[in-house]
Amino acid sequence: MGVIEKVKRALATVDGILPLDQILMGDCIETMRGLPAKSVDLIFADPPYNLQLGGDLSRPDGSHVDAVTDDWDKFDSLGAYDRFTREWLTEARRILKDNGAIWVIGSYHNIFKVGSAIQDLGYWILNDIVWRKANPMPNFKGTRFTNAHETLIWASTGEKARYTFNYRSMKTLNDELQMRSDWEFPICGGQERLKKGGVKVHPTQKPEALIYRILLACTKPGDVVLDPFFGTGTTGAVAKRLGRRWIGIEREPVYIEAAEERIAAALPLDESALTTMQSPKAAPRVAFGALVENGMLVPGSMLTDAKRRWSAIVGADGSLKSSCGQAGSIHKLGSLLQNAPACNGWTFWHYEAADGLKPIDALRQTYLLATQI
Amino acid sequence: MGVIEKVKRALATVDGILPLDQILMGDCIETMRGLPAKSVDLIFADPPYNLQLGGDLSRPDGSHVDAVTDDWDKFDSLGAYDRFTREWLTEARRILKDNGAIWVIGSYHNIFKVGSAIQDLGYWILNDIVWRKANPMPNFKGTRFTNAHETLIWASTGEKARYTFNYRSMKTLNDELQMRSDWEFPICGGQERLKKGGVKVHPTQKPEALIYRILLACTKPGDVVLDPFFGTGTTGAVAKRLGRRWIGIEREPVYIEAAEERIAAALPLDESALTTMQSPKAAPRVAFGALVENGMLVPGSMLTDAKRRWSAIVGADGSLKSSCGQAGSIHKLGSLLQNAPACNGWTFWHYEAADGLKPIDALRQTYLLATQI
DNA sequence: CTGCCGACTGAATCCGGTT
DNA sequence: GAACCGGATTCAGTCGGCA
């Protein structure tokens, strides 16, 4: 640990001052002990899964599967993993504000231990969320079902605790349907996947779209998000983009270095580039929010109707806000402004393209083309 | 309990004879204790979820836990549910054959306790499966994500245990793609939903399609399926349709009555429909040498791989010899040349047919057809 | 510049019968 | 029970090379 980190941790401990927008190098549990009680709004945690892989695995074509063999995923026994889980979850609950909440992601290897501990420690589960992978690794030997999803648990600090849930944002993001407990995203790859010398920096980097949705749903701008298993800093990068404050805890200097660089390059929303995220596999129906989530339309950009009589600003959740303060989905705001009973937002709203005004439906078509074929 | 049931249970206990295709009335755990060890092939269990609903929780002895009003009670109910879960899962493991398996369905209220117990008791989790509800109940208050799925756990009796998985059947069922761990079905309604006087008989009747896929994937015709929380007998009805034997345990006479009626009306599929896609493993083994013996390949002829990178000469004994002097079976030489841990010689090696290069597996298929019919 | 083809890859508890 | 060895087994997507 460097001098600066030591000073930061000392400050955090003695004065109750949070080391915001920083990575604390060190052991997860020990470092959490140095953070003040009831001080953060949200915790996102991607702990080791305790995979217990047997021998090598090869594909039908004979090539070798690159497994997660890192030391940080090794535990002596199921009991040891259980104790580790309960220890960090205990610290997490101490650090959370009363109205805070926690998200934990895992697979069947560990999520039942995590969920069980969460319940035992007095948290109150609000939902379990399924991340359906659009492109999971197949089961090469044909011995089981393709392991095509991971599970997230969302819990408040207790049964009576209040918590943040931006219901409208989620509904708008999902094209005016309630957001369900099953979410589909592709695994993290392509440009988004951090590499060094052509080799992936971290074996289990999570997609930004996943964290984006969580932070959008469960935090307000300015809220403090703690990630005790920071890795290469997906949580930090998304928090910065969304105007949230963040704290990361990470043990491995290699990951920290990659994360620092990555977060420094991340742009807050109104400046962020068009291609920050990978396209997800498209559902037949495209939610307007998906275009925003995937960077095809930048939050803060302006839409108008074809004759530029009305204009509106795109929100981070895929909502639109007009200059006179009205807001809603693309369809709802269109009908409001025109004082019409209904409106097809896809053809009504236009964006400024390089070669002139175009309906946002063109973006939807592009999106479909990019993701369907 | 009627006299007949008593006699049946006595038989099961004393003689190790299974009471097949019958509903045993009684407490789940107590009745399971009367069944012989290592006697059933599959257990499907839909235990009560009633963890956080206050007074609905039943203790293992059948008594009801009072409404949860304070922390002490909450801990007590959580602990009571945990003990109940571990008790019935312990009996289940005793009853299962070594090569048997168990499926349990639950929601976030109970599935983490169930999964944790399954791991602690020595079962080996094979997959967790997500049932995505096509038509879930919305979250009326808008306070959380729509709870649109339930989770199933599939586990064998231990890490090294064999288990049944009809891979080909599942792949065929899924349009020639591996079956994934996320399944979509509508909730049980319409004609399928059992009603009496317009009121649903059971509050949580599961769709037959769900059980159908499970039994098709994890049992063979004639296998014995036990459902310790039989309810209105979905497991029995599907088992009968699919030509599997079944045993149900249920406490409530109302459910039993509905189940008996329902199962009596269920029609078995005829045998031809039960013939599912076979794994190649089930086909008789053909020695490569047999093809040579039968003149389908002439000793001295040349085989190559699909890209003609390697070639070898067929020996009179069905061995292959490469130009660089290496020799062995079709599999061994394939792996040697490629420097791979393993190789399926049937698909690796090709012969020169009239219409181009073909895998020698085609010859095997011809041979099988000629000798089987 | 585009389009096609091949190589590569991702949190994976990944074989089974016979000697 | 260990060792042997026959032989079954993959989906979606990205990226680079080449025509």
Side-chain angles (χ1 to χ4, degrees):
Chain A
M1 189 186 302
V3 173
I4 295 177
E5 279 79 12
K6 274 190 184 154
V7 171
K8 282 171 189 167
R9 287 203 25 213
L11 278 173
T13 309
V14 175
D15 299 317
I17 294 172
L18 283 176
L20 291 177
D21 305 330
Q22 292 164 28
I23 306 174
L24 310 181
M25 176 155 50
D27 171 73
C28 150
I29 295 166
E30 193 190 322
T31 309
M32 285 172 93
R33 291 209 175 103
L35 292 173
K38 298 183 193 295
S39 60
V40 312
D41 298 286
L42 193 85
I43 293 178
F44 174 84
D46 181 10
Y49 288 7
N50 189 31
L51 299 184
Q52 291 165 55
L53 307 176
D56 281 357
L57 179 64
S58 39
R59 299 184 172 81
D61 66 7
S63 65
H64 180 254
V65 175
D66 187 19
V68 177
T69 52
D70 307 68
D71 283 338
W72 50 252
D73 197 43
K74 299 229 186 312
F75 294 83
D76 289 336
S77 65
L78 196 55
Y81 185 79
D82 213 356
R83 283 191 292 279
F84 163 74
T85 301
R86 282 162 197 268
E87 275 193 66
W88 76 257
L89 280 169
T90 300
E91 280 309 305
R93 190 149 178 271
R94 183 186 63 79
I95 294 170
L96 277 176
K97 292 181 186 170
D98 286 340
N99 295 339
I102 190 169
W103 282 78
V104 188
I105 184 169
S107 66
Y108 69 84
H109 309 84
N110 71 323
I111 199 66
F112 303 114
K113 286 290 164 198
V114 168
S116 187
I118 279 179
Q119 291 181 305
D120 288 343
L121 293 173
Y123 290 97
W124 192 250
I125 298 180
L126 299 167
N127 275 117
D128 59 335
I129 298 290
V130 173
W131 167 28
R132 305 175 53 219
K133 301 182 183 183
N135 48 351
M137 191 190 297
N139 181 292
F140 295 115
K141 301 296 185 190
T143 56
R144 304 181 180 186
F145 297 98
T146 304
N147 195 2
H149 74 276
E150 295 190 17
T151 303
L152 299 105
I153 296 173
W154 174 35
S156 67
T157 58
E159 180 176 0
K160 309 287 184 189
R162 287 188 299 161
Y163 54 88
T164 297
F165 180 56
N166 301 315
Y167 176 75
R168 278 304 322 172
S169 292
M170 284 301 103
K171 190 164 178 181
T172 309
L173 191 64
N174 197 35
D175 220 7
E176 288 303 307
L177 287 180
Q178 283 192 344
M179 187 69 80
R180 297 166 43 113
S181 56
D182 54 326
W183 303 351
E184 179 170 322
F185 295 109
I187 59 177
C188 182
Q191 294 300 309
E192 188 185 329
R193 188 86 191 203
L194 296 183
K195 292 189 180 172
K196 194 167 182 177
V199 181
K200 60 187 175 193
V201 177
H202 195 287
T204 70
Q205 187 183 337
K206 296 295 179 290
E208 292 196 4
L210 184 69
I211 318 287
Y212 185 102
R213 185 173 292 180
I214 291 170
L215 296 193
L216 198 61
C218 299
T219 61
K220 302 181 189 67
D223 275 1
V224 176
V225 180
L226 168 68
D227 184 336
F229 305 94
F230 203 59
T232 48
T234 308
T235 303
V238 175
K240 183 178 176 189
R241 272 212 292 149
L242 283 171
R244 272 71 169 166
R245 314 301 298 267
W246 56 271
I247 303 169
I249 300 174
E250 177 54 51
R251 205 168 55 181
E252 305 291 333
V254 181
Y255 299 158
I256 293 179
E257 191 186 345
E260 304 251 5
E261 195 177 326
R262 167 191 196 176
I263 297 170
L267 296 176
L269 268 188
D270 53 339
E271 302 167 40
S272 77
L274 192 79
T275 53
T276 45
M277 281 188 276
Q278 292 299 304
S279 306
K281 154 100 180 200
R285 234 177 90 263
V286 177
F288 178 67
L291 303 186
V292 180
E293 220 166 32
N294 291 282
M296 296 184 68
L297 263 180
V298 181
S301 60
M302 191 167 73
L303 302 182
T304 71
D305 68 298
K307 295 176 185 169
R308 300 183 198 268
R309 280 188 286 195
W310 294 285
S311 66
I313 303 297
V314 177
D317 57 355
S319 67
L320 292 188
K321 229 179 257 173
S322 75
S323 51
C324 51
Q326 291 170 298
S329 70
I330 53 173
H331 314 295
K332 194 169 180 179
L333 187 62
S335 66
L336 268 175
L337 292 175
Q338 297 179 94
N339 198 21
C343 165
N344 180 353
W346 289 111
T347 51
F348 177 74
W349 292 108
H350 292 61
Y351 70 102
E352 198 71 57
D355 50 342
L357 219 50
K358 286 193 173 177
I360 55 176
D361 197 43
L363 289 178
R364 177 168 64 160
Q365 298 310 323
T366 309
Y367 179 90
L368 278 170
L369 276 174
T371 55
Q372 292 251 294
I373 304 170
Chain B
M1 187 187 301
V3 172
I4 296 175
E5 279 79 12
K6 274 191 185 153
V7 172
K8 282 171 188 166
R9 288 203 24 214
L11 279 173
T13 309
V14 176
D15 298 319
I17 294 172
L18 283 177
L20 292 177
D21 305 331
Q22 292 163 29
I23 307 174
L24 309 180
M25 176 155 55
D27 170 74
C28 149
I29 295 166
E30 192 191 322
T31 309
M32 285 172 93
R33 290 207 176 105
L35 292 173
K38 299 183 192 294
S39 60
V40 311
D41 298 286
L42 194 83
I43 293 179
F44 174 84
D46 182 11
Y49 297 8
N50 52 7
L51 186 47
Q52 290 151 339
L53 302 178
D56 277 349
L57 179 63
S58 301
R59 293 200 174 88
D61 62 4
S63 65
H64 281 276
V65 176
D66 288 335
V68 176
T69 51
D70 56 33
D71 284 345
W72 189 87
D73 265 347
K74 180 164 45 177
F75 178 79
D76 180 60
S77 68
L78 202 58
Y81 187 81
D82 215 357
R83 282 191 295 279
F84 164 71
T85 300
R86 282 161 198 267
E87 277 194 63
W88 76 258
L89 280 170
T90 300
E91 280 309 305
R93 189 148 179 272
R94 182 186 64 79
I95 295 170
L96 278 175
K97 292 182 185 170
D98 286 340
N99 295 342
I102 190 169
W103 283 78
V104 189
I105 183 168
S107 68
Y108 68 82
H109 302 92
N110 71 325
I111 199 67
F112 303 114
K113 286 290 164 197
V114 168
S116 186
I118 279 178
Q119 290 181 304
D120 288 342
L121 292 175
Y123 289 98
W124 193 248
I125 297 180
L126 299 168
N127 276 119
D128 60 335
I129 298 291
V130 173
W131 167 30
R132 305 176 55 219
K133 302 181 184 182
N135 47 352
M137 189 188 301
N139 182 289
F140 293 113
K141 292 182 180 171
T143 54
R144 305 180 184 187
F145 297 97
T146 302
N147 197 2
H149 74 276
E150 294 189 20
T151 302
L152 300 103
I153 297 173
W154 173 35
S156 67
T157 58
E159 180 175 358
K160 308 286 183 192
R162 302 284 162 79
Y163 54 89
T164 298
F165 180 55
N166 300 316
Y167 175 76
R168 277 301 327 170
S169 294
M170 287 298 103
K171 191 166 176 178
T172 306
L173 194 61
N174 196 38
D175 210 12
E176 288 306 305
L177 285 181
Q178 285 192 339
M179 187 69 81
R180 298 169 40 116
S181 57
D182 53 327
W183 303 352
E184 179 170 325
F185 296 110
I187 58 177
C188 183
Q191 292 301 309
E192 188 184 330
R193 186 85 193 207
L194 296 184
K195 291 187 181 173
K196 195 168 183 177
V199 181
K200 56 190 176 190
V201 178
H202 195 285
T204 65
Q205 186 183 338
K206 296 293 178 290
E208 293 198 3
L210 184 71
I211 319 289
Y212 184 99
R213 184 174 294 179
I214 291 170
L215 296 194
L216 199 62
C218 300
T219 61
K220 303 181 190 66
D223 274 2
V224 177
V225 181
L226 168 68
D227 185 337
F229 305 94
F230 202 59
T232 49
T234 308
T235 303
V238 175
K240 183 178 174 188
R241 268 211 292 152
L242 283 173
R244 272 69 169 167
R245 315 300 298 268
W246 56 272
I247 304 171
I249 300 175
E250 177 55 50
R251 207 167 54 182
E252 303 293 333
V254 181
Y255 298 159
I256 293 178
E257 192 186 344
E260 305 248 357
E261 197 177 326
R262 167 191 196 176
I263 296 170
L267 293 178
L269 296 173
D270 68 51
E271 209 165 322
S272 65
L274 285 184
T275 311
T276 53
M277 294 306 297
Q278 291 294 311
S279 153
K281 269 177 247 175
R285 230 169 53 86
V286 177
F288 178 69
L291 303 185
V292 181
E293 254 168 6
N294 287 279
M296 298 182 70
L297 266 178
V298 182
S301 61
M302 189 169 75
L303 302 182
T304 72
D305 68 299
K307 295 175 188 171
R308 302 181 197 270
R309 278 190 285 204
W310 293 286
S311 64
I313 303 297
V314 177
D317 58 354
S319 68
L320 291 188
K321 232 178 253 174
S322 75
S323 52
C324 49
Q326 291 169 297
S329 71
I330 53 173
H331 315 295
K332 194 166 182 179
L333 187 62
S335 66
L336 268 175
L337 291 175
Q338 295 179 95
N339 199 22
C343 167
N344 180 352
W346 290 111
T347 51
F348 178 74
W349 293 108
H350 292 61
Y351 69 101
E352 198 72 57
D355 50 341
L357 221 50
K358 286 193 174 179
I360 57 175
D361 197 43
L363 291 177
R364 179 169 62 161
Q365 298 310 324
T366 310
Y367 179 83
L368 274 171
L369 275 175
T371 53
Q372 295 262 298
I373 306 172

